[in-house]
Amino acid sequence: MTKAARGSLLGIEHLEAAEILGLLKLARRMNPAKPRALLKGKRVVLLFYEPSTRTRSSFEVAAKSMGAMTVLIQSSGSSIEKGESLLDTGYTLRAVGADAIVLRHPSAGAPHLMAANIDIAVINAGDGMHEHPSQALLDAYTVLRHKRSFKGLQVAIVGDIYHSRVARSACHLLSKFGARVTLCGPPEFVPEVAATLVPGIRLTRHLEEAVRGADVIMLLRVQKERLAGRKIKLEDYIARYQMTAARLKLAKRDAIVMHPGPIIRGLELTGDVADCPQSVIVQEVANGVPVRMAILARAMGKAR
Amino acid sequence: MAQNKTPSLLIRGGHIIDPASRIDGPMDLLLRDGQVAEIAPPNKIRGNAEGKFDARGLIVAPGFIDLHVHLREPGQSHKETIATGTAAAAAGGFTSVCCMPNTSPVVDSPEWVHWIRQPERGALVNVFPIAAATHHSKGAVLTDFRSLQEAGAVAVTDDGKPILDEAVMREALRTGAQLNLPVIQHAEDTRLTAHCSMNEGPTSFRLGLRGMTVAAEAEVVDRDVQLAQMTGGRFHVAHLSTAEALKPVRRGKRAKVRVTCEITPHHFTLIDENVGDYNTDFKMNPPLRSAFDREAILVALADGTVDAIATDHAPHALHEKQVEFERAPFGVTGLETALGLAITQLHRDHKLPLARIVELFTAGPARVLDLRGRGTLARGSFADVTIFDPKKRWIFDAAKSRSKSRNTPFDGWPLTGRVISTIVAGKVVHREG
Ligand SMILES: [Zn+2]
């Protein structure tokens, strides 16, 4: 395997803190409302092997607002359906002149395979249960709109950590900047091994313990099928882990509530928490665009 | 092979290690008519030999035996053929290989056992077919052990898949016991490993991959040791990989159950962390395990619990491995790196005596499958000899492999210990340099 092309974004784990800060700084200078033709003439392929609304549209808007042309390829209705391999699809896209590939794939490591074999920037838009780096970056961007820095920040991540690429990317990012991360959920969703991901992670089975004194509460989506598969009763999960207004009171007064979406009101959080002033869930979606503009600009060497 | 036409060969000046005969010292060796004609102290062999081999500074050992290789024929010749696989075996010092039946079709009939053994296959070393234990290796209906054995099968297994059904496994061991035919188990409770592509642990969590637990291997071994005790059958554990699975093997051996086990070079060398960021050349089944498991394996190799080193040589084409990690097939090649890894890892780094390493490649595997006249240099045994330099440093270059495939985790590895010559039935089939 060779090295990934410059500008690729495969995950947060191997990024230097300085690179992350650079991207966040660049994102602050990006304004989707004031288009700049930074990427005029560039071709960005959105290669999505999984359905996605917010990530896909966010990348698309980001690319277009910098003047790039976008091509959307989804697994249904393309040669992927006919059994073409991931690399062959990559070679084809390279040949038609793609300058960057934004890849969403159900299999962990798919972007690494692509990046190791194809000499254009590959941006991971979520790979299996592994990482979702653009989500972690937009979350970091959102946190820094409300908090001075990450240092010493108490962050609770609640829900199905095991299946979550968002959680893995968030843990890597937060630990690089000295935040104190607590993972919370039942053992089926937060196995002991989760504590080995980055140094200094704490685990707890009690939501109250995770939330008490927290600055940031990140909720994760919980899929009903997975509860069933892991033999957890839905009512029990809700009783123990749902974020309610009462539980939110245990957090710092200025704590923010985050969620990568899509949310299910009445499951991982109550409707009033989703809509409360501390909720930044809608801001996260909006912040996705400038952050992804920064990611794309960096990918195509236009990060100045 | 036309053994009687092979010229006689005198190997002199070498240091012979033949654990089966308890020989470990300077000795000369005369091969004639496909047999070991004489073994004697230096310069004591009289009479003329047609050829001479100067083995000064080298170890002369019985020909190595690999209990577990995938030669991919019939049906998967784009990965390997019997000809290319045995060429790789010869380069790795193996004079005999036992090939697994998970081909296409599965080797579950005497006809296919015969087919593998036909001279037209172009085998460079001895090939001992292992036949399927159940029809199509589906784990339900036993194959005809007797006719398979008569055709030349040396054991039965459904390798690649386990025999999960307890009644079927019990019957296999019972039938095998009557014929003195070993049953080899790929110990994996596949009900616990669906969609898993590596070992369960911090690395699988970091990579977001589903992990195989230690229990999925150990519980099958534990059950089968009990079944072997009950039936008196000969039970062999293929590619054992966990500390937990060593426990029932030790327990069985103490209780005189007929249980044996093999370890692969990749499991005594590497751990799950080495998978890095989804390198499919580090994906095999059983997967690379934790550092804890590797330590336990090193202990078991030293203390005699382990009977054999076997490569589980499993070639795959580049395009098959260059896919998403979860979709890539399991398996790595291993014939050409086995001795170098054993000497580097076990002898140099963990102080295992060379004689023990030779035993794990010769007398040990010969005992597991009862290969009479193999794995020893006693007079009258087959003239299969492996000559190696235990101090030679070299770098393994996968591009130069004799195998058809390149899926090795050891490309570019510096190794100590190299095969210098491989002799099958008195004939030199590989010569280094
Ligand atoms: Zn196997």
Side-chain angles (χ1 to χ4, degrees):
Chain A
M1 288 207 196
T2 49
K3 262 184 88 107
R6 278 179 72 158
S8 287
L9 177 65
L10 304 181
I12 299 294
E13 184 186 1
H14 300 304
L15 280 188
E16 304 278 340
E19 287 178 273
I20 294 170
L21 290 176
L23 272 166
L24 295 176
K25 212 166 130 192
L26 185 61
R28 255 174 256 126
R29 302 214 312 270
M30 295 292 181
N31 186 350
K34 280 199 200 146
R36 293 159 70 194
L38 260 183
L39 298 184
K40 196 168 160 46
K42 298 286 186 189
R43 299 186 185 98
V44 175
V45 174
L46 307 165
L47 180 55
F48 277 64
Y49 286 75
E50 268 182 0
S52 154
T53 310
R54 65 194 65 213
T55 304
R56 198 205 68 217
S57 58
S58 181
F59 268 113
E60 192 167 348
V61 170
K64 286 194 166 131
S65 64
M66 292 186 290
M69 178 191 180
T70 62
V71 181
L72 173 66
I73 298 171
Q74 283 166 310
S75 37
S76 60
S78 71
S79 52
I80 297 165
E81 239 183 2
K82 298 175 190 129
E84 184 177 65
S85 78
L86 179 62
L87 279 185
D88 281 328
T89 302
Y91 297 140
T92 304
L93 296 175
R94 176 78 183 88
V96 299
D99 296 289
I101 296 175
V102 176
L103 176 63
R104 158 71 60 96
H105 201 285
S107 198
H112 301 66
L113 174 72
M114 189 75 105
N117 292 283
I118 290 168
D119 63 345
I120 54 174
V122 175
I123 294 158
N124 181 359
D127 62 327
M129 310 191 308
H130 177 230
E131 281 223 42
H132 194 346
S134 64
Q135 179 72 40
L137 288 165
L138 73 87
D139 283 342
Y141 183 91
T142 307
V143 170
L144 291 179
R145 293 251 136 168
H146 298 272
K147 309 290 168 192
R148 213 178 253 277
S149 86
F150 289 109
K151 187 108 197 97
L153 220 56
Q154 265 201 60
V155 182
I157 307 181
V158 184
D160 185 358
I161 312 287
Y162 176 78
H163 292 98
S164 175
R165 53 194 173 210
V166 174
R168 283 179 181 78
S169 285
C171 287
H172 286 302
L173 191 144
L174 292 165
S175 91
K176 283 179 204 287
F177 294 100
R180 305 209 322 266
V181 179
T182 303
L183 305 179
C184 178
E188 293 84 351
F189 286 170
V190 188
E192 296 290 331
V193 70
T196 63
L197 189 62
V198 290
I201 285 195
R202 292 195 316 137
L203 304 188
T204 175
R205 307 284 171 222
H206 304 285
L207 185 56
E208 289 74 12
E209 206 179 304
V211 170
R212 191 168 289 120
D215 299 284
V216 176
I217 298 161
M218 298 178 88
L219 304 173
L220 298 173
R221 194 155 64 105
V222 171
Q223 288 177 273
K224 281 182 193 161
E225 313 86 79
R226 282 185 177 149
L227 286 170
R230 303 235 157 192
K231 299 190 179 72
I232 307 171
K233 274 209 193 115
L234 187 61
E235 315 82 86
D236 290 351
Y237 185 84
I238 289 171
R240 294 196 62 181
Y241 297 107
Q242 186 181 66
M243 186 54 65
T244 61
R247 283 169 171 159
L248 184 54
K249 286 208 175 72
L250 297 168
K252 290 227 178 83
R253 199 187 288 239
D254 61 352
I256 55 171
V257 176
M258 308 179 78
H259 193 302
I263 62 171
I264 302 177
R265 291 163 192 265
L267 210 172
E268 64 267 21
L269 77 177
T270 57
D272 55 342
V273 168
D275 301 325
C276 77
Q278 287 165 267
S279 163
V280 297
I281 297 169
V282 179
Q283 289 173 40
E284 289 173 78
V285 179
N287 291 340
V289 177
V291 168
R292 289 177 172 121
M293 287 170 77
I295 291 169
L296 289 168
R298 172 182 175 270
M300 280 163 282
K302 301 286 182 189
R304 351 234 107 243
Chain B
M1 272 173 223
Q3 293 177 346
N4 46 3
K5 289 195 193 106
T6 307
S8 56
L9 180 65
L10 176 65
I11 301 165
R12 61 181 183 192
H15 181 112
I16 293 190
I17 298 181
D18 179 12
S21 315
R22 293 172 204 277
I23 293 173
D24 189 346
M27 295 281 241
D28 292 348
L29 184 68
L30 179 66
L31 309 177
R32 189 190 290 134
D33 300 334
Q35 291 191 338
V36 174
E38 229 183 311
I39 177 165
N43 305 315
K44 289 280 186 277
I45 296 180
R46 299 285 162 223
N48 263 345
E50 287 147 287
K52 293 194 172 76
F53 190 107
D54 180 2
R56 278 176 296 175
L58 304 176
I59 303 288
V60 178
F64 291 179
I65 299 164
D66 192 340
L67 295 177
H68 196 139
V69 302
H70 297 269
L71 297 179
R72 303 301 190 206
E73 278 192 304
Q76 299 162 327
S77 56
H78 66 288
K79 296 172 193 269
E80 193 81 284
T81 63
I82 291 173
T84 58
T86 54
F94 292 98
T95 57
S96 297
V97 294
C98 306
C99 59
M100 289 294 162
N102 63 335
T103 46
S104 181
V106 168
V107 178
D108 58 2
S109 68
E111 289 73 25
W112 281 116
V113 174
H114 280 302
W115 186 88
I116 289 170
R117 298 177 68 214
Q118 279 162 1
E120 294 92 309
R121 301 289 89 75
L124 209 54
V125 308
N126 307 304
V127 174
F128 294 101
I130 294 172
T134 67
H135 282 286
H136 307 290
S137 283
K138 288 215 164 97
V141 182
L142 290 191
T143 49
D144 183 349
F145 288 10
R146 184 181 296 277
S147 65
L148 290 166
Q149 188 179 36
E150 281 164 4
V154 292
V156 289
T157 186
D158 282 350
D159 186 47
K161 296 174 188 169
I163 304 168
L164 280 187
D165 188 313
E166 184 172 330
V168 173
M169 187 62 181
R170 190 189 306 121
E171 205 42 45
L173 285 163
R174 186 172 288 146
T175 311
Q178 287 158 9
L179 301 163
N180 199 27
L181 188 69
V183 179
I184 302 175
Q185 178 73 294
H186 166 120
E188 174 190 356
D189 188 337
T190 46
R191 292 164 299 197
L192 305 176
T193 57
H195 310 295
C196 292
S197 50
M198 67 174 299
N199 183 48
E200 164 78 24
T203 303
S204 67
F205 186 82
R206 175 179 78 81
L207 293 174
L209 295 171
R210 284 165 213 278
M212 303 186 189
T213 58
V214 159
E217 173 176 280
E219 284 167 11
V220 174
V221 175
D222 188 52
R223 181 200 73 179
D224 292 348
V225 168
Q226 292 180 41
L227 292 177
Q229 180 155 33
M230 243 154 69
T231 56
R234 287 170 63 182
F235 170 55
H236 179 69
V237 187
H239 43 51
L240 185 146
S241 68
T242 62
E244 200 56 32
L246 281 167
K247 291 179 186 169
V249 170
R250 287 202 173 96
R251 213 181 305 126
K253 288 194 169 200
R254 270 198 306 273
K256 302 279 179 246
V257 178
R258 299 168 86 192
V259 54
T260 51
C261 70
E262 72 194 27
I263 299 280
T264 71
H266 46 268
H267 286 113
F268 68 61
T269 303
L270 301 169
I271 57 170
D272 56 0
E273 287 172 26
N274 299 118
V275 168
D277 282 335
Y278 309 98
N279 190 337
T280 57
D281 284 340
F282 290 71
K283 178 180 176 181
M284 72 294 283
N285 190 4
L288 298 173
R289 300 289 188 176
S290 67
F292 173 80
D293 289 307
R294 176 174 174 255
E295 287 304 317
I297 279 169
L298 290 167
V299 169
L301 281 161
D303 73 10
T305 306
V306 176
D307 297 275
I309 292 172
T311 63
D312 194 5
H313 176 82
H316 291 292
L318 181 63
H319 73 269
E320 294 168 323
K321 278 288 198 180
Q322 271 196 344
V323 296
E324 299 87 321
F325 193 87
E326 287 163 302
R327 291 183 59 190
F330 291 106
V332 296
T333 59
L335 284 164
E336 287 153 290
T337 44
L339 177 71
L341 289 167
I343 291 180
T344 309
Q345 297 291 324
L346 305 178
H347 180 59
R348 193 195 68 186
D349 295 353
H350 289 88
K351 308 297 166 220
L352 227 69
L354 273 184
R356 171 65 178 148
I357 289 170
V358 170
E359 182 183 28
L360 287 160
F361 279 117
T362 60
R367 231 172 11 239
V368 169
L369 295 189
D370 233 346
L371 302 176
R372 301 277 163 82
R374 315 258 178 212
T376 174
L377 292 176
R379 190 208 280 245
S381 48
F382 291 98
D384 295 347
V385 185
T386 300
I387 301 172
F388 65 94
D389 181 346
K391 295 201 171 75
K392 174 102 173 168
R393 289 157 182 260
W394 60 295
I395 289 172
F396 176 61
D397 178 1
K400 295 197 180 125
S401 171
R402 270 75 163 183
S403 168
K404 237 184 186 183
S405 295
R406 301 281 177 271
N407 52 310
T408 166
F410 302 114
D411 188 23
W413 272 47
L415 297 171
T416 300
R418 184 161 206 186
V419 174
I420 301 300
S421 188
T422 308
I423 298 167
V424 176
K427 197 172 139 225
V428 175
V429 296
H430 171 75
R431 181 101 202 225
E432 181 48 42

